[in-house]
Amino acid sequence: MTAAAFERRYAYRTHHRMRLRMSRHSLYQFLRPDGCGIHPAKPTQCRIFPFWPELLESRREWNRTARWCPASARAL
């Protein structure tokens, strides 16, 4: 898949950043049973996860994320 095709399908731009689209039907569209399917490319959004502002500002959201993401459970 070309970079342009990937962006059209999986990303959107805000001001000066490109962000991954979040699917309504899954927690994270690149998460596979054996780990992250996009890890080799490591977008910024992935590099800083689970330290996203919306998770850091809400203990409830952090705990909800920790139930399915081992990285956030270990980060505390």
Side-chain angles (χ1 to χ4, degrees), residues 1 13 35 44 46 51 56:
M1 174 181 291
R13 292 185 180 266
T44 300
C46 297
F51 302 104
L56 294 173

Side-chain angles (χ1 to χ4, degrees), residues 6 10-12 17-22 27-32 35-55 62 65 68-69 71-72 74-75:
F6 179 90
Y10 296 111
Y12 65 97
R17 297 180 189 259
M18 187 182 327
R19 300 210 32 144
L20 293 174
R21 295 181 194 280
M22 300 302 285
L27 295 171
Y28 178 63
Q29 60 194 342
F30 298 108
L31 187 60
R32 308 287 184 252
C36 178
I38 197 170
H39 188 78
K42 200 80 161 187
T44 300
Q45 190 170 346
C46 297
R47 269 197 314 268
I48 64 171
F49 184 82
F51 302 104
W52 295 350
E54 60 268 28
L55 298 179
W62 182 275
T65 301
W68 62 267
C69 177
S72 60
R74 287 190 307 262

